[in-house]
Amino acid sequence: MLLCKHRGRGMFELTGKTAIITGASRGIGKGIALKFASLGANVAFMHFNDGEKAEETVKELEALGVRAKAYDCNVADFEASKKVIDEVIEEFGEVHILVNNAGIVRDGLILSMKESDFDAVISVNLKGAFNMTKNIYPHFMKKRRGRIINISSIVGINGNAGQANYASAKAGMIGLTKSVAKELGSRNVTANAIAPGFIKTDMTDGMPEKAREAALAAIPMKRAGQVDDIANLAAFLASDEASYITGEVIRVDGGMAI
Ligand code: NAI
């Protein structure tokens, strides 16, 4: 495996590449954006109504010497996501990497889960990933290269009581990933899913104390993951070194789903 020579940070090289990342104003998406930028990639990212944090992220990315731009855009809106992708291609030139990371939770047992809670989570987490994939698809086909990295979850593999909407969306993302891998493999486009376990972010900080304790107790490594644990794998999957890996679902969970 080649180590990064240009930046000398001992990892993979993404210099000259441009990535679109959804949901990178904070959390895992931001961690991926910073990792990509530290490896030389320009980053365009989307967030939803999180302008202040998005601006901070843009500044942190630019401080790493790359181009960065934030777009306030609901990924569940097909036309709006198309508009952003078209703008990014226009402004940045070729896009090489798409990371579908934006996600929300509306937890509850099915008995009490509102239909609107099911629909909202499917719309953002699954339909959002479809919207982005569909809208970047012609560009990747034309360029005959591209990387799609979908941030799924171990609950998309195992299911989870209280998360029927979220687990369905995350399982759907795995089906989407494998279908895209089959459709676009001949065009030199790879699609892979990362299935994080319990990662410390605003999303998990918002969980009830008891649920957080139970999640931590279920992790063989006895600690929550950090955003960098996910970002390191995303950087590898985006790099030239991962060019023959497609249709994979890789858990990053400290053993939680074993
Ligand atoms: P977070 O809540 O800290 O950040 C979510 C990001 O998505 C924010 O930038 C937000 O603006 C953006 N976003 C939300 N709705 C959006 C929409 N409709 N359109 C565009 N952007 C939108 O979440 P976190 O923890 O960083 O999670 C990121 C991804 O990782 C999510 O897909 C989540 O399901 C997944 N994940 C997280 C785990 C964890 O333990 N934190 C575990 C497994 C998966």
Side-chain angles (χ1 to χ4, degrees):
M1 213 173 281
L2 288 174
L3 292 179
C4 171
K5 288 183 204 119
H6 178 73
R7 298 216 153 212
R9 290 187 174 95
M11 268 192 92
F12 313 102
E13 173 76 89
L14 297 177
T15 300
K17 305 249 162 82
T18 293
I20 297 183
I21 306 173
T22 66
S25 54
R26 57 175 195 259
I28 291 172
K30 178 174 179 175
I32 293 171
L34 289 170
K35 183 68 65 182
F36 283 10
S38 75
L39 298 171
N42 295 322
V43 177
F45 71 88
M46 288 148 87
H47 64 94
F48 190 50
N49 209 8
D50 201 14
E52 221 168 281
K53 286 191 175 167
E55 279 318 306
E56 273 170 37
T57 304
V58 167
K59 284 194 191 120
E60 289 176 49
L61 291 167
E62 285 173 345
L64 292 166
V66 300
R67 271 190 78 187
K69 191 161 176 186
Y71 298 82
D72 190 347
C73 169
N74 181 2
V75 289
D77 181 332
F78 183 84
E79 287 305 328
S81 63
K82 179 172 183 341
K83 196 162 164 269
V84 168
I85 287 178
D86 291 346
E87 266 182 54
V88 174
I89 293 170
E90 176 84 27
E91 284 187 33
F92 286 73
E94 184 174 350
V95 172
H96 305 81
I97 306 153
L98 166 66
V99 182
N100 287 311
N101 163 81
I104 56 168
V105 285
R106 296 277 188 282
D107 294 351
L109 296 172
I110 292 172
L111 199 60
S112 57
M113 185 178 284
K114 291 195 213 109
E115 185 189 2
S116 58
D117 291 335
F118 189 87
D119 290 346
V121 170
I122 297 290
S123 295
V124 175
N125 298 17
L126 179 57
K127 175 78 173 2
F130 168 78
N131 290 344
M132 295 297 294
T133 303
K134 163 121 179 123
N135 287 321
I136 200 78
Y137 199 108
H139 182 69
F140 281 175
M141 276 184 75
K142 195 165 127 205
K143 296 289 179 185
R144 291 190 164 269
R145 65 174 175 183
R147 294 296 161 82
I148 298 176
I149 299 165
N150 291 327
I151 307 302
S152 176
S153 165
I154 56 165
V155 311
I157 301 169
N158 285 5
N160 199 20
Q163 289 197 308
N165 48 2
Y166 184 81
S168 302
K170 294 300 186 181
M173 282 183 100
I174 292 173
L176 178 67
T177 304
K178 292 183 180 182
S179 303
V180 173
K182 286 186 173 179
E183 281 191 28
L184 284 177
S186 65
R187 300 288 176 133
N188 197 30
V189 176
T190 68
N192 291 288
I194 298 177
F198 184 84
I199 311 298
K200 189 174 167 19
T201 65
D202 286 359
M203 186 182 272
T204 45
D205 286 348
M207 284 166 68
E209 187 61 33
K210 268 199 171 159
R212 242 198 352 257
E213 278 170 17
L216 282 170
I219 302 171
M221 296 192 77
K222 296 296 168 213
R223 66 169 178 88
Q226 304 296 317
V227 294
D228 263 1
D229 293 318
I230 308 303
N232 287 333
L233 176 58
F236 171 61
L237 290 173
S239 73
D240 290 345
E241 283 77 5
S243 64
Y244 201 54
I245 300 172
T246 196
E248 270 298 344
V249 182
I250 304 175
R251 290 189 294 107
V252 181
D253 66 349
M256 193 176 186
I258 295 170

